[in-house]
Amino acid sequence: VIESTVTPLVISQSCNYRIQSGHTTLTNPIGATDVIFGLNSAGATATACPLVDSAYYFKLSWSGQGDNPFTGVFPYY
């Protein structure tokens, strides 16, 4: 697996040391997975830190040879 940083992962002290933004790609011989951090629950870029005990979201997109593409938005704290 090869990891490529598309945009740097930014960790913010003001957001309780969570990843506030960033984009990385994981590539292997059969496909690639893009991971985008710092989103809201709708999958759009978050404009502010989440409230205490609330989540940021990341978008995971898989595309591979002969497989159906997959995209999902998941929370992280």
Side-chain angles (χ1 to χ4, degrees):
V1 173
I2 298 170
E3 186 275 335
S4 301
T5 301
V6 179
T7 58
L9 301 180
V10 176
I11 298 172
S12 173
Q13 178 182 2
S14 63
C15 289
N16 295 326
Y17 294 97
R18 292 187 274 184
I19 299 173
Q20 193 171 3
S21 64
H23 180 177
T24 188
T25 300
L26 304 169
T27 307
N28 65 33
I30 63 169
T33 302
D34 280 312
V35 184
I36 302 170
F37 295 92
L39 307 176
N40 63 23
S41 61
T45 301
T47 57
C49 296
L51 299 173
V52 175
D53 295 329
S54 294
Y56 267 121
Y57 290 79
F58 69 93
K59 180 178 179 181
L60 182 122
S61 300
W62 157 258
S63 59
Q65 299 172 0
D67 292 326
N68 293 329
F70 170 82
T71 299
V73 177
F74 304 96
Y76 65 96
Y77 293 87

